[in-house]
Amino acid sequence: MKKILYTDFVGTDEIISKLLEEKEFKRAMTRSNLYKFWAKVAGTKFAEKSRPYSMLGGGVMVIACQNSIVAQELMLKKMQLLIKFKPYLESLKIYVKDLKFDAKKWEE
């Protein structure tokens, strides 16, 4: 029986390095890291009732809220939230100038 050598496999390190070179993948990873900080910024009370949903053009971050009451409370704290977000934004080199709170985006 003839022995078959499989030598043209691509290693995982090569696949990961190619992924990290792609602009869209880098952007997605950076946003994912930013979204992880939401609980620290919003606090435990609001972290359970809201979560980052998406980014819009011009540096607007959309936050999905459990209901309109949560959205309103967060709206009143918007400036405080942006100030708390600032160190995380600077470390990840992301520009966020505004937060938009939307109860319609919430999914259980």
Side-chain angles (χ1 to χ4, degrees):
M1 181 179 209
K2 186 177 177 183
K3 188 173 185 178
I4 300 173
L5 299 175
Y6 297 99
T7 57
D8 55 343
F9 283 118
V10 178
T12 55
D13 56 339
E14 189 176 333
I15 293 170
I16 292 171
S17 67
K18 284 183 181 181
L19 276 175
L20 290 174
E21 291 172 6
E22 292 184 25
K23 191 176 183 180
E24 290 298 317
F25 185 77
K26 279 184 183 179
R27 184 179 300 146
M29 288 298 297
T30 305
R31 286 182 182 173
S32 174
N33 288 333
L34 177 64
Y35 293 170
K36 290 177 186 176
F37 294 121
W38 177 248
K40 290 182 180 181
V41 172
T44 55
K45 176 183 172 184
F46 290 109
E48 296 171 357
K49 298 177 182 181
S50 63
R51 66 171 84 57
Y53 182 78
S54 66
M55 293 289 289
L56 300 176
V60 178
M61 184 180 198
V62 178
I63 308 295
C65 300
Q66 191 175 36
N67 55 47
S68 59
I69 296 167
V70 173
Q72 181 65 32
E73 285 190 50
L74 289 172
M75 178 67 83
L76 295 171
K77 298 176 86 173
K78 184 193 301 191
M79 290 309 295
Q80 295 169 340
L81 293 171
L82 286 170
I83 291 168
K84 285 183 178 180
F85 244 136
K86 190 173 181 174
Y88 303 113
L89 296 170
E90 289 174 352
S91 68
L92 294 170
K93 298 177 184 164
I94 297 178
Y95 174 69
V96 173
K97 72 170 189 174
D98 196 14
L99 299 173
K100 179 182 174 187
F101 304 100
D102 192 345
K104 295 176 185 174
K105 306 284 187 197
W106 183 260
E107 295 176 4
E108 288 293 332

